[in-house]
């Protein structure tokens, strides 16, 4: 089984490198011509190494040191008419037990821009939520090797990353008050059987067959009249159904969402060579579970809260440094919040070296306090830490990223 | 006193390269299909951030002059971010399916030639560029 996975990983790595090398060659020549149309091709790839002093994190064997921290993508886009554009992107990742090299259609869409203030996108579309939801895989854009896990958990990426449906979007000028960019969307959230929820439930003795549902959301970004200040807010309404089987008795296990609302508020400000970002999130969730361990059915509720503050500074053309403080509470009403199972704090220090315009290297230290408990599925899993979790974790990440 | 003089010289030396070419030395050009003679600073910013794709009745697309002092000067003055930050912004659009990467050229002549032949193209060149087949847009 392990050999099969290893061979699969070698095969997938070779395939990934080959598929990523091709667009580079093509891109180096410009873009592909298809009749009178030009097709732009772009790709990205990142390879990380993670080492922690105690707990294994994000399903990786970080306590031994691991390079199972890879992702990449390739996209193609073309402008069909002045107002109509179409394209798609393939994405795959292998982060510990997540992703497992399964390629997925990350986004594929047609976009029709009627006016500056009105456009439509349809297909599989990246969801606008908070500062960085739609770009969270693209760490080459950021100073960070790992985005703040309070708001952008790597293991729960699929919960919010995209929807199969449509967007209405546009930018409305407000004269002296700046401008507002809005996105309203709805559709079906894709089922991700390679993510953290499915892995976490496996640790609780449940195999998941399907995990998806509908999503409705909106996002508003206000470019304020204050130079380099942007502020925004988002709302997301999920209706997810999980269908699975309890391994111990082969009986069905289901979770039906009764309410799952996420609210986000965020801001970004740049001054000279400095950039400051802040985001706060709250997710209120009520679910109905069928097939509890005790045999019956029941409800569960959670009030998840999190947020971060970050600062980055460009030292020179090659070097950028930054720090963030991230806080996550899996269920705010549960006290005391100070114990490890009820929170996850992360103070991070990061340095980014821009080796070339298309190649960067990051070194990052995380000083984490808390583990969010065994049933939170937020970075720490009982399957990876069978002897129990330590209250603190120090983690070092090295990451090389390229994009073209 | 000597220290103060030295600091003045150091300040001037630091600022000199940045002021050697400022946005006043940049000309905004457009394909003749853009039936305008001027563009507001907000609209110009919107065009280069790809939040605005029309000017008057014309569909418009941005064209970049790759790297260097000219691009940085233009970006700082009209887009509100340096060329590196603008590239990062474009990548965030390209890799999420929000937009295409704008065309980039190394020289004024190449920018002028592309803008002249491409319907709706809007670009920027140095004030000394030879302008054939394009219209100049005044920034209001």
């Amino acid at each position: 089984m392990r050999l099969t996975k290893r061979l699969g990983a070698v095969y997938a790595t070779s395939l990934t490198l080959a598929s990523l090398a091709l667009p580079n060659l093509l891109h180096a020549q410009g873009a592909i011509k298809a009749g009178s149309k030009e097709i732009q091709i772009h790709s990205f790839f990142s390879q990380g190494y993670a080492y922690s002093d105690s707990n294994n994190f994000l399903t990786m064997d970080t306590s031994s040191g691991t390079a199972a921290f890879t992702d990449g993508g390739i996209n193609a886009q073309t402008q069909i008419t002045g107002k109509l554009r179409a394209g798609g992107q393939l994405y795959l990742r292998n982060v510990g037990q997540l992703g497992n090299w399964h390629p997925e259609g990350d986004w594929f869409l047609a976009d029709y821009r009627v006016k500056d203030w009105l456009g439509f996108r349809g297909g599989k579309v990246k969801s606008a939520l908070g500062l960085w939801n739609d770009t969270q895989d693209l760490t080459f854009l950021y100073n960070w090797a790992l985005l703040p896990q309070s708001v952008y958990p790597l293991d729960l990426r699929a919960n919010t990353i995209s929807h199969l449906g449509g967007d209405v979007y546009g930018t409305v000028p407000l004269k002296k008050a700046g401008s507002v960019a809005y996105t309203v969307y709805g559709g079906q959230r894709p089922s991700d059987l390679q993510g953290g929820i499915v892995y976490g439930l496996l640790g609780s003795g449940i195999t998941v067959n399907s995990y998806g549902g509908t999503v409705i959301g909106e996002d508003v970004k206000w470019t304020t009249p204050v130079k380099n200040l942007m502020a925004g807010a988002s709302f997301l309404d999920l209706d997810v159904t999980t269908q699975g089987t309890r391994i111990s008795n082969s009986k069905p296990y289901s979770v039906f969402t009764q309410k799952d609302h996420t609210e986000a508020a965020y801001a970004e400000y740049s001054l000279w060579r400095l950039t400051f970002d802040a985001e706060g999130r709250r997710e209120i969730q009520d679910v109905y579970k069928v097939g509890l361990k005790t045999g019956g059915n029941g409800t569960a509720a959670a009030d998840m809260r999190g947020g971060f503050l970050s600062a980055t500074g460009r030292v020179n053309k090659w070097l950028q440094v930054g720090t963030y403080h991230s806080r996550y509470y899996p269920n705010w009403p549960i006290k005391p919040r100070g114990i490890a199972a009820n929170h996850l704090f992360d103070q991070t220090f990061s340095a980014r070296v821009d080796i070339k315009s298309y190649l960067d290297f990051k070194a990052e230290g995380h000083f984490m306090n808390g583990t969010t408990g065994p049933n939170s599925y937020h970075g720490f899993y009982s399957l990876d830490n069978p002897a129990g979790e330590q209250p603190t974790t120090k983690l070092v990440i090295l990451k090389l990223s390229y994009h073209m | 006193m000597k220290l103060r003089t030295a600091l003045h010289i150091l300040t001037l030396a630091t600022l000199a390269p940045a002021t050697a070419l400022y946005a006043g030395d940049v000309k905004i050009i457009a394909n003749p299909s853009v039936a305008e003679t001027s563009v507001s600073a907000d609209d110009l910013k919107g065009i280069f951030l790809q939040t605005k794709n029309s000017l008057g009745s014309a569909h418009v697309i941005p064209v970049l002059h790759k790297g260097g002092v000219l691009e940085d000067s233009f970006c700082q003055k009209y887009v509100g971010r340096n060329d590196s930050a603008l590239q990062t912004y474009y990548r965030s659009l390209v890799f999420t399916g929000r937009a295409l990467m704008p065309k980039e050229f190394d020289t004024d002549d190449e920018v002028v030639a592309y803008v002249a032949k491409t319907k709706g193209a809007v670009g920027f060149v140095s004030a000394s560029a030879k302008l054939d087949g394009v219209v100049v847009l005044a920034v209001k």
Side-chain angles (χ1 to χ4, degrees):
Chain A
M1 181 71 181
R2 189 171 281 182
L3 182 65
T4 308
K5 188 173 179 186
R6 197 163 284 180
L7 286 171
V10 170
Y11 172 72
T13 307
S14 310
L15 198 66
T16 307
L17 291 173
S19 65
L20 294 176
L22 181 62
N24 286 339
L25 294 172
L26 295 170
H27 186 73
Q29 297 165 16
I32 296 174
K33 280 277 184 188
S36 61
K37 301 295 175 199
E38 186 178 273
I39 301 172
Q40 284 190 5
I41 295 177
H42 298 274
S43 60
F44 69 97
F45 183 80
S46 78
Q47 177 60 55
Y49 174 83
Y51 176 76
S52 64
D53 67 336
S54 54
N55 299 312
N56 287 315
F57 190 50
L58 288 168
T59 79
M60 293 183 280
D61 187 13
T62 53
S63 59
S64 303
T66 178
F69 194 177
T70 312
D71 75 341
I74 175 170
N75 70 55
Q77 279 192 85
T78 189
Q79 194 76 36
I80 297 167
T81 68
K83 293 179 178 176
L84 181 62
R85 181 173 49 80
Q89 178 164 283
L90 280 176
Y91 176 74
L92 83 172
R93 70 173 179 167
N94 183 58
V95 180
Q97 302 299 318
L98 309 171
N100 296 313
W101 303 106
H102 283 255
E104 61 175 284
D106 195 23
W107 52 265
F108 46 89
L109 55 85
D111 184 318
Y112 189 74
R113 186 87 178 258
V114 183
K115 300 276 186 187
D116 297 332
W117 55 270
L118 182 64
F120 301 95
R121 279 189 283 262
K124 189 177 183 185
V125 186
K126 290 272 183 154
S127 304
L129 174 67
L131 272 171
W132 301 326
N133 184 64
D134 53 354
T135 55
Q136 62 181 284
D137 303 325
L138 314 172
T139 51
F140 59 85
L141 297 174
Y142 305 110
N143 203 75
W144 325 114
L146 193 64
L147 296 185
Q149 295 297 288
S150 58
V151 176
Y152 301 104
L154 198 68
D155 43 348
L156 306 178
R157 164 188 183 272
N159 286 7
T160 57
I161 193 72
S162 61
H163 52 278
L164 199 57
D167 289 13
V168 180
Y169 71 96
T171 302
V172 181
L174 302 175
K175 296 186 176 174
K176 288 185 178 177
S179 64
V180 165
Y182 72 90
T183 308
V184 180
Y185 55 93
Q188 195 76 11
R189 201 195 66 173
S191 180
D192 175 30
L193 299 179
Q194 312 296 329
I197 295 286
V198 173
Y199 185 69
L201 283 171
L202 186 63
S204 301
I206 295 157
T207 56
V208 174
N209 307 319
S210 70
Y211 175 62
T214 57
V215 55
I216 296 169
E218 54 254 3
D219 175 71
V220 175
K221 284 183 175 62
W222 177 33
T223 301
T224 72
V226 178
K227 192 179 178 187
N228 298 329
L229 174 65
M230 182 274 289
S234 310
F235 175 77
L236 184 73
D237 180 1
L238 285 170
D239 186 2
V240 175
T241 299
T242 307
Q243 302 280 6
T245 307
R246 194 170 284 283
I247 297 167
S248 60
N249 57 15
S250 300
K251 288 191 172 171
Y253 172 83
S254 305
V255 181
F256 300 97
T257 298
Q258 293 180 315
K259 176 183 180 181
D260 193 337
H261 290 174
T262 300
E263 295 153 358
Y266 55 90
E268 182 172 274
Y269 178 63
S270 298
L271 179 68
W272 190 51
R273 293 180 173 189
L274 304 172
T275 301
F276 304 93
D277 292 286
E279 180 165 353
R281 286 262 183 107
R282 184 182 186 189
E283 181 179 3
I284 298 172
Q285 190 181 66
D286 293 324
V287 297
Y288 184 73
K289 296 183 178 182
V290 174
L292 295 174
K293 201 171 185 178
T294 52
N297 305 332
T299 58
D303 180 353
M304 296 165 264
R305 299 189 191 188
F308 69 89
L309 294 168
S310 76
T312 58
R314 167 80 43 197
V315 178
N316 56 39
K317 187 180 173 185
W318 298 279
L319 180 64
Q320 186 168 287
V321 294
T323 181
Y324 66 69
H325 184 76
S326 162
R327 289 192 169 211
Y328 176 72
Y329 299 93
N331 205 346
W332 181 258
I334 303 292
K335 293 177 182 172
R337 296 188 195 106
I339 65 168
N342 291 341
H343 72 264
L344 175 59
F345 301 161
D346 183 3
Q347 182 64 54
T348 295
F349 300 93
S350 182
R352 170 189 170 127
V353 179
D354 290 296
I355 302 163
K356 297 276 185 185
S357 62
Y358 54 85
L359 188 69
D360 68 79
F361 175 77
K362 299 185 187 96
E364 193 164 282
H366 293 257
F367 299 85
M368 291 184 275
N369 184 309
T371 58
T372 73
N375 298 315
S376 168
Y377 312 147
H378 204 103
F380 297 96
Y381 294 85
S382 56
L383 282 174
D384 306 319
N385 299 293
E389 290 154 355
Q390 300 299 311
T392 62
T393 310
K394 293 187 183 76
L395 173 74
V396 172
I397 299 176
L398 307 175
K399 199 172 197 182
L400 188 69
S401 304
Y402 112 103
H403 63 274
M404 290 291 263
Chain B
M1 189 63 186
K2 277 183 181 173
L3 179 64
R4 188 176 291 180
T5 308
L7 283 173
H8 282 312
I9 292 168
L10 186 64
T11 306
L12 286 171
T14 308
L15 293 176
T19 53
L21 182 62
Y22 59 94
D25 295 325
V26 177
K27 274 187 180 165
I28 312 302
I29 59 171
N31 182 270
S33 63
V34 178
E36 303 286 327
T37 55
S38 64
V39 59
S40 72
D42 282 346
D43 284 352
L44 189 60
K45 182 178 178 179
I47 291 167
F48 278 85
L49 290 180
Q50 304 206 49
T51 57
K52 183 169 183 62
N53 65 353
S54 62
L55 193 58
S57 59
H59 174 79
V60 291
I61 53 169
V63 179
L64 298 177
H65 197 302
K66 199 186 289 182
V69 181
L70 181 73
E71 185 182 22
D72 211 27
S73 171
F74 171 82
C75 292
Q76 294 279 12
K77 172 77 177 179
Y78 294 118
V79 189
R81 53 187 87 193
N82 63 35
D83 60 338
S84 168
L86 185 62
Q87 289 295 329
T88 299
Y89 171 79
Y90 285 142
R91 285 173 199 134
S92 75
L93 299 180
V94 166
F95 284 98
T96 55
R98 301 282 195 253
L100 288 164
M101 188 66 86
K103 279 276 187 190
E104 279 189 314
F105 297 96
D106 289 318
T107 67
D108 282 342
D109 288 348
E110 288 173 324
V111 173
V112 170
Y114 184 78
V115 170
K117 73 176 184 186
T118 307
K119 194 176 174 186
V122 176
F124 58 91
V125 291
S126 57
S128 58
K130 191 178 171 192
L131 306 177
D132 284 331
V134 298
V135 294
V136 176
L137 299 180
V139 182
K140 290 186 288 189

